[in-house]
């Protein structure tokens, strides 16, 4: 397969989706032209410019760093259409109107580069119908590429070919979307709404239908169909509000218009409550009200009977909650047999979806794997619908579904296809096996894609029924304790880098993790090219991964505190610091492979590593002030060292304050990066650190970085013995601004004390400006501040509050 190098992308349409796709391409360092119509007044690019400006205000943020909005190049079809010839990929993302899209295609087609891929981001229109009128040559380069909203965070992209799309174009585009843009690509058939929206919207319509049948409230349904089922917390109706009720109504309308022969067609009727909300302009979150509405601090929910908003908070019945905690097979049996309306509702929505995917698999997807991954990645389910069916007992569930169909209880009287009940699937106990996933069209279990881009994914997204590599046991274990596992990927050519993974809750770091990490470094120095710190939790659902580490393990330190008070903790802190120095001065490169949160001690571990490889959705921060403490694992010491290095490079060691100011603010305000790109802007990542966009490639890239450093003759940094520090004058300047904040009641007296101790640590203590100190001096300042604060009542209150509630105490 020849390389597809995307030098520039054009996005046609600066609406919500087009603008956000452009933003995420900028995150991935892909130059983008954002086109829209020429404005009738003011600058011709006013529509695109306004869209770019609006991107900065959106939440969740489409950019990793807000200032990167400047890199999107605004364009209009009058002045800039010739620039399309510079683009290797053109993505159309205008409104879902076939006639509008065709008009635009006629305008842009003559200006496309001869080898450019032309794609539409339609959420459900026929790709083949959209390509009508194209030359045969352009048809061969045209396909659907359906991003999910919001594009930065949703892992799924559906790739939809027509009968005439060249296969190599799809392979190239899948590789680009997977590795550069960081997505999970699923190939869908060119059928209305493709895979995820087809099944996902049917699932929502089934919930609406069954909720009405059993008389359940919208908030009650959301409590039943969210986290309790391993699905997105926003569940059903809150998700609809977030997506936009007009968008949902449009997707439903596509099903009504194009699926008239579907045996489930009656279910595609727009629910009356949805139609009424759209008619009133209550479109969900973007208009301030939909199924839910915020009034002051209270969240109100719509009463379907009266059309009025009432107090929310209806929950699952305790009995039903207990049933949902049972193993899958027992859970479905109990729900089916219970007379409780909530239980009957839940059995009904499971049955409806199993019935639907059984009937429609052959028409919408090549195989069952594509359905499950599309729903997991596009709708946030922990397991796909086929996986849920298989886990609960394929044959038994199929028989129950068939019984309900025969009894007239299902949403359609169409029977399950024969492959569900007999033949290889029934014999193997489900659609997913080690050979692959079931394809009704080919009557075989189809293996995974063998594209070379997937060679970088040591652990591909797992599916129930496959015996795939378990990241917690994979490879050859070299040693394992209660706290860590040190192992190698024992495939030929992959076993030269040692990997260490933590086993503590949230991968927190206590004395036992430090011991394991030290042992791993010693082993790596003896026999391997490098050491990678990587956590199996990085692979959760594909996006975002993590946690890398939530910081120091306070619970493990508690016995020492109970026996010796604040002073009893000092050996723990010293051990942590020495562990970080061992990482920094290891004679082989230690690479931190970060995904998800790297907070407190987790951030400090990354700071001391030879290099960091971070997934785009990585959130770094020194957040100890939340528990009334200061960072004491060398994080403030590293801030002082980096400030001194930066000042020395520009000959400004007489003005160190401006070089430590940002690090002081980061720690004193417990700032957490909004992305890996933001972490680089904050100074937690260096410009030379690597940011990866696909979490499944994190481990492979980290190992390659370790090998590259080793091959280049890696040596650890020399021990720092003379560090110029900002000293007491800088501390006094910082404290003056803190006094104003305290007296203005922006911070508490205790916040003032903590921030003052952070200032002392990053500025090198009570010494003259420009004084030379060593690393141990700086560590001692951190350690002393940590122990002193731990001895205060207010810090102890913050720690206990965090341990008991998981939330910071403001005192």
């Amino acid at each position: 397969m020849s390389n597809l190098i995307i030098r520039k992308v054009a996005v046609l349409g600066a609406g919500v989706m087009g603008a956000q796709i452009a933003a995420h391409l900028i995150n991935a360092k892909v130059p983008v032209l954002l086109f829209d119509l020429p404005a009738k007044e003011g600058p011709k690019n006013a529509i695109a410019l306004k869209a770019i400006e609006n991107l900065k205000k959106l939440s969740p943020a489409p950019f990793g760093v807000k200032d990167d909005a400047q890199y999107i190049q605004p364009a209009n079809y009058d002045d800039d259409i010739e620039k399309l010839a510079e683009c290797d990929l053109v993505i159309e993302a205008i409104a879902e109107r076939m006639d509008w899209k065709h008009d635009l295609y006629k305008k842009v087609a003559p200006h496309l580069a001869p080898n450019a891929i032309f794609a539409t981001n339609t959420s459900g229109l026929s790709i083949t119908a959209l390509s009508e009128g194209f030359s045969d040559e352009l048809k061969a380069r045209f396909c659907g590429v359906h991003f999910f909203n919001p594009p930065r965070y949703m892992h799924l992209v559906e790739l939809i070919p027509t009968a005439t799309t060249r296969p190599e174009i799809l392979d190239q585009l899948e590789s680009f979307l997977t590795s550069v843009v960081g997505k999970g690509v699923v190939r869908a058939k060119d059928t209305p709404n493709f895979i995820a929206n087809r099944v996902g919207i049917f699932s929502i319509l089934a919930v609406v239908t069954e909720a009405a049948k059993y008389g359940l409230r919208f908030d009650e349904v959301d409590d039943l169909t969210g986290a309790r089922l391993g699905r997105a917390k926003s569940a059903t109706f809150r998700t609809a509000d977030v997506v936009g009720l007009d968008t949902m109504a449009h997707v439903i309308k596509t099903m009504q218009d194009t699926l008239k022969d579907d045996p489930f067609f009656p279910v595609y009727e727009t629910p009356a409550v949805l139609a009424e909300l759209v008619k009133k302009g209550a479109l969900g979150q973007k208009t301030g009200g939909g199924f839910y509405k915020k009034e002051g601090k209270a969240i109100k929910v719509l009463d379907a009977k009266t059309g009025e908003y009432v107090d929310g908070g209806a929950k699952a019945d305790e009995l039903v909650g207990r049933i949902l905690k049972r193993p899958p097979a027992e859970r479905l049996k109990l729900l089916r047999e219970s007379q409780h309306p909530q239980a009957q509702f839940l059995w009904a929505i499971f049955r409806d979806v199993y019935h639907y995917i059984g009937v429609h698999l052959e028409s919408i997807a090549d195989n069952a794997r594509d359905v499950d991954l599309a729903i997991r990645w596009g709708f946030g389910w922990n397991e796909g619908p086929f996986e849920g069916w298989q886990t609960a007992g394929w044959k038994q569930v199929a028989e129950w579904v068939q019984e309900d169909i025969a009894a007239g209880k299902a949403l359609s009287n169409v029977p399950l296809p024969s492959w569900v009940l007999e033949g290889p699937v029934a014999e193997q106990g489900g659609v997913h096996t080690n050979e692959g996933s079931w394809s009704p069209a080919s009557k075989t279990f189809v293996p995974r894609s063998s594209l070379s881009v997937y060679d970088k994914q040591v652990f591909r997204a797992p599916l129930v029924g496959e015996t795939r590599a378990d990241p917690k046991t994979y490879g050859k274990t070299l040693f394992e304790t209660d706290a860590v596992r040190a192992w190698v990927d024992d495939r030929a050519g992959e076993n030269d880098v040692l990997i260490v993974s933590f086993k503590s809750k949230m991968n927190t770091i206590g004395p036992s993790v430090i011991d394991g990490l030290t042992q791993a470094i010693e082993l790596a120095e003896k026999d391997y090219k490098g050491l990678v710190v990587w956590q199996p939790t990085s692979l959760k659902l594909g996006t975002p991964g993590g946690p890398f580490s939530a910081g120091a393990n306070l619970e493990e330190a508690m016995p020492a505190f109970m026996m010796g008070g604040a002073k009893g903790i000092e050996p723990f802190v010293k051990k942590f610091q020495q562990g970080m120095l061992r990482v920094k001065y290891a004679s082989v490169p230690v690479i931190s492979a970060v995904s998800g949160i790297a907070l407190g001690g987790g951030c400090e571990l990354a700071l001391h590593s030879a290099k960091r490889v971070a997934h785009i959705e990585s959130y770094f921060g020194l957040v100890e002030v939340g528990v009334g403490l200061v960072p004491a694992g060398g994080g403030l010491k590293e801030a002082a060292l980096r400030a001194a290095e930066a000042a020395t490079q520009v000959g400004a060691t007489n003005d160190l304050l401006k070089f430590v100011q940002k690090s002081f603010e980061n720690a004193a305000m417990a700032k957490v990066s909004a992305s890996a790109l933001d972490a680089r802007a904050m100074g937690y990542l260096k410009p030379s650190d690597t940011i990866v966009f696909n979490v499944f490639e994190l481990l492979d890239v980290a190992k390659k970085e370790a090998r590259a450093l080793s091959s280049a003759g890696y040596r650890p940094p020399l021990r720092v013995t003379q560090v110029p520090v900002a000293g007491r004058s800088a501390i006094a300047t910082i404290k003056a601004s803190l006094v104003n904040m305290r007296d203005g009641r922006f911070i508490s007296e205790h916040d003032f004390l903590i921030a003052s101790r952070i200032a002392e640590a990053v500025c090198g203590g009570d010494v003259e400006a420009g004084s030379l100190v060593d690393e141990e001096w700086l560590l001692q300042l951190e350690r002393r501040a940590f122990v002193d604060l731990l001895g205060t009542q207010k810090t102890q209150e913050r720690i206990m509050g965090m341990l008991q509630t998981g939330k910071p105490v403001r005192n």
Side-chain angles (χ1 to χ4, degrees):
M1 183 181 80
S2 61
N3 256 356
L4 171 70
I5 298 176
I6 303 273
R7 293 172 185 84
K8 188 179 281 189
V9 174
V11 177
L12 311 181
V16 174
M17 278 304 284
Q20 288 196 78
I21 291 167
H24 191 56
L25 288 167
I26 290 294
N27 288 336
K29 301 290 180 278
V30 180
V32 178
L33 281 164
L34 181 61
F35 276 84
D36 213 297
L37 296 167
K40 289 174 180 156
E41 295 174 3
K44 280 274 199 74
N45 286 332
I47 296 173
L49 284 165
K50 186 179 179 187
I52 294 166
E53 200 54 37
N54 284 342
L55 285 169
K56 298 179 191 176
K57 302 170 193 165
L58 280 184
S59 178
F63 291 108
V65 175
K66 198 181 287 185
D67 289 348
D68 283 355
Q70 65 182 304
Y71 296 113
I72 297 181
Q73 197 176 336
N76 70 80
Y77 301 115
D78 280 3
D79 299 343
D80 306 303
I81 201 157
E82 290 82 10
K83 292 179 181 173
L84 288 171
E86 305 165 6
C87 300
D88 304 296
L89 171 62
V90 176
I91 300 171
E92 170 272 307
I94 68 167
E96 295 285 87
R97 283 270 302 266
M98 186 80 73
D99 54 341
W100 291 1
K101 288 179 189 283
H102 275 145
D103 288 346
L104 178 62
Y105 295 172
K106 282 179 196 145
K107 189 186 290 186
V108 301
H111 301 279
L112 300 176
N115 295 313
I117 297 173
F118 190 27
T120 172
N121 183 58
T122 178
S123 59
L125 297 178
S126 164
I127 310 300
T128 304
L130 286 170
S131 72
E132 284 169 11
F134 287 178
S135 66
D136 289 347
E137 192 273 332
L138 183 54
K139 276 185 179 177
R141 295 186 275 126
F142 186 70
C143 63
V145 54
H146 180 211
F147 286 82
F148 274 65
N149 191 18
R152 171 182 160 187
Y153 302 93
M154 298 305 289
H155 193 57
L156 177 65
V157 170
E158 290 175 315
L159 199 53
I160 312 104
T162 69
T164 53
T165 310
R166 283 208 313 270
E168 66 269 23
I169 276 182
L170 294 166
D171 290 349
Q172 290 172 336
L173 198 48
E174 181 167 347
S175 298
F176 169 75
L177 290 165
T178 299
S179 218
V180 178
V181 190
K183 297 303 171 190
V185 176
V186 166
R187 296 203 189 182
K189 292 191 178 181
D190 188 12
T191 54
N193 292 338
F194 315 125
I195 298 174
N197 274 342
R198 179 75 176 271
V199 176
I201 295 295
F202 170 81
S203 166
I204 290 173
L205 288 170
V207 166
V208 174
T209 304
E210 303 291 2
K213 188 190 295 181
Y214 291 104
L216 305 185
R217 287 167 45 130
F218 298 133
D219 51 348
E220 188 179 2
V221 167
D222 276 355
D223 189 55
L224 287 163
T225 59
R228 291 177 191 271
L229 298 189
R231 299 179 187 177
K233 280 183 188 172
S234 53
T236 305
F237 296 106
R238 203 176 291 280
T239 295
D241 273 0
V242 170
V243 169
L245 303 191
D246 51 342
T247 304
M248 188 173 157
H250 172 79
V251 176
I252 294 169
K253 180 79 164 56
T254 303
M255 294 165 98
Q256 291 166 7
D257 293 346
T258 53
L259 294 169
K260 296 191 189 304
D261 297 331
D262 190 316
F264 290 86
F265 183 74
V267 184
Y268 303 152
E269 185 181 344
T270 306
V273 63
L274 176 64
E276 187 57 32
L277 285 167
V278 172
K279 187 175 158 191
K280 288 196 299 196
L283 306 180
Q285 199 172 68
K286 59 188 168 188
T287 60
F291 288 107
Y292 293 90
K293 186 178 184 181
K294 197 168 184 185
E295 291 183 5
K297 290 190 175 177
I299 305 287
K300 302 274 191 171
V301 64
L302 187 69
D303 183 319
K305 296 187 186 79
T306 65
E308 301 295 321
Y309 288 95
V310 298
D311 290 338
K315 299 277 186 193
D317 186 276
E318 194 181 329
L319 166 72
V320 176
R322 283 205 302 271
I323 291 175
L324 290 177
K325 290 179 179 172
R326 307 303 300 162
E330 187 184 344
R331 177 175 69 177
L332 272 194
K333 182 174 185 291
L334 291 169
L335 290 174
R336 185 170 180 268
E337 292 171 355
S338 170
Q339 293 306 302
H340 195 291
Q342 288 183 356
Q344 291 178 324
F345 158 77
L346 286 166
W347 158 250
I349 65 169
F350 280 121
R351 175 203 63 218
D352 296 341
V353 171
Y354 297 157
H355 186 191
Y356 192 79
I357 59 175
V359 169
H360 284 302
L361 172 59
E362 185 165 0
S363 66
I364 64 171
D366 175 61
N367 61 74
R369 173 177 55 249
D370 291 341
V371 172
D372 277 346
L373 293 180
I375 291 296
R376 276 166 47 177
W377 293 340
F379 278 78
W381 294 19
N382 282 354
E383 63 176 13
F386 277 118
E387 289 183 289
W389 184 349
Q390 187 160 333
T391 308
W394 184 269
K395 276 178 155 174
Q396 177 63 78
V397 173
E399 285 166 15
W400 286 339
V401 173
Q402 197 66 15
E403 281 175 31
D404 276 15
I405 297 167
K409 294 179 182 176
L411 295 181
S412 168
N413 60 8
V414 63
L416 288 169
S418 57
W419 64 262
V420 171
L421 299 154
E422 56 200 41
V425 171
E427 289 158 16
Q428 296 265 22
V431 289
H432 303 305
T433 67
N434 285 329
E435 297 93 72
S437 295
W438 183 252
S439 166
S442 63
K443 297 183 171 54
T444 56
F445 293 100
V446 177
R448 299 232 181 182
S449 167
S450 57
L451 282 178
S452 59
V453 70
Y454 296 113
D455 294 343
K456 293 188 273 187
Q457 298 189 10
V458 184
F459 307 102
R460 291 173 76 171
L463 282 164
V464 161
E466 292 180 323
T467 315
R468 294 195 75 76
D470 179 350
K472 292 184 178 175
T473 57
Y474 174 78
K476 181 181 177 187
T477 300
L478 300 176
F479 73 83
E480 188 165 9
T481 69
D482 289 342
V484 305
R485 173 179 176 245
W487 56 284
V488 289
D489 183 338
D490 52 357
R491 294 173 297 164
E494 292 292 332
N495 58 1
D496 55 349
V497 174
L498 185 63
I499 303 157
V500 65
S501 303
F502 302 167
K503 295 163 64 180
S504 50
K505 185 180 177 184
M506 299 285 282
N507 301 321
T508 51
I509 305 170
S512 50
V513 167
I514 295 288
D515 288 340
L517 187 57
T518 304
Q519 189 181 341
I521 291 168
E522 287 166 0
L523 186 55
E525 288 174 332
K526 188 163 159 279
D527 294 323
Y528 296 94
K529 290 183 175 175
L531 175 68
V532 170
V533 183
W534 174 83
Q535 315 299 8
T537 47
S538 295
L539 300 179
K540 186 188 172 192
L541 284 184
T543 177
F548 172 71
S549 172
N553 189 332
L554 292 176
E555 289 185 52
E556 202 173 337
M558 285 311 283
F561 176 70
M562 300 306 284
M563 287 178 67
K567 278 282 180 196
I569 292 288
E570 191 160 2
F572 169 86
V573 181
K574 190 159 191 176
K575 180 168 191 157
F576 199 112
Q577 291 178 339
Q578 293 307 311
M580 295 303 102
L581 291 178
R582 188 71 181 90
V583 167
K584 183 175 181 176
Y585 294 114
S587 55
V588 293
V590 177
I591 311 289
S592 281
V594 179
S595 171
I597 58 172
L599 302 179
C603 181
E604 289 171 316
L605 170 56
L607 288 172
H608 284 83
S609 299
K611 193 163 188 180
R612 290 138 292 278
V613 175
H615 179 233
I616 175 71
E617 299 307 333
S618 295
Y619 311 109
F620 290 81
L622 296 172
V623 296
E624 284 81 354
V625 297
V627 286
L629 294 167
V630 300
L636 300 180
K637 176 261 300 179
E638 283 298 300
L641 294 182
R642 290 183 183 192
E645 187 182 347
T648 302
Q649 282 173 354
V650 295
T653 50
N654 59 342
D655 188 16
L656 277 162
L657 175 58
K658 71 179 181 188
F659 293 92
V660 299
Q661 187 75 38
K662 188 200 286 184
S663 296
F664 163 74
E665 287 173 6
N666 287 344
M669 297 168 72
K671 286 184 181 176
V672 177
S673 72
S675 67
L677 297 168
D678 191 34
R680 183 179 277 164
M682 291 171 72
Y684 289 131
L685 292 182
K686 292 184 175 180
S688 56
D689 288 332
T690 303
I691 295 173
V692 299
F693 276 67
N694 196 313
V695 74
F696 291 101
E697 296 180 2
L698 184 67
L699 177 57
D700 182 72
V701 174
K703 286 165 64 182
K704 284 174 177 158
E705 293 283 9
R707 286 189 195 108
L709 286 173
S710 175
S711 298
Y714 177 77
R715 299 290 303 170
L718 295 170
R719 295 266 174 177
V720 181
T721 56
Q722 293 194 316
V723 187
V725 291
R728 65 172 73 95
S729 57
I731 297 168
T733 303
I734 292 173
K735 279 190 178 179
S737 63
L738 290 173
V739 166
N740 290 335
M741 292 176 75
R742 181 195 63 195
D743 292 351
R745 300 194 174 176
F746 295 106
I747 60 174
S748 70
E749 190 70 48
H750 200 55
D751 290 327
F752 172 81
L753 174 62
I754 299 162
S756 299
R757 298 306 296 262
I758 291 172
E760 288 163 13
V762 294
C763 294
D766 187 16
V767 295
E768 287 294 326
S771 295
L772 299 177
V773 302
D774 62 12
E775 224 168 347
E776 181 47 46
W777 172 271
L778 293 167
L779 286 172
Q780 202 172 353
L781 288 172
E782 280 186 9
R783 202 160 62 238
R784 196 180 304 138
F786 186 96
V787 172
D788 288 351
L789 286 166
L790 189 58
T792 66
Q793 185 182 340
K794 287 193 182 293
T795 284
Q796 290 168 21
E797 286 169 4
R798 289 192 185 189
I799 292 170
M800 292 313 295
M802 182 65 79
L803 290 174
Q804 286 166 5
T805 67
K807 293 176 183 172
V809 172
R810 301 311 307 155
N811 60 356

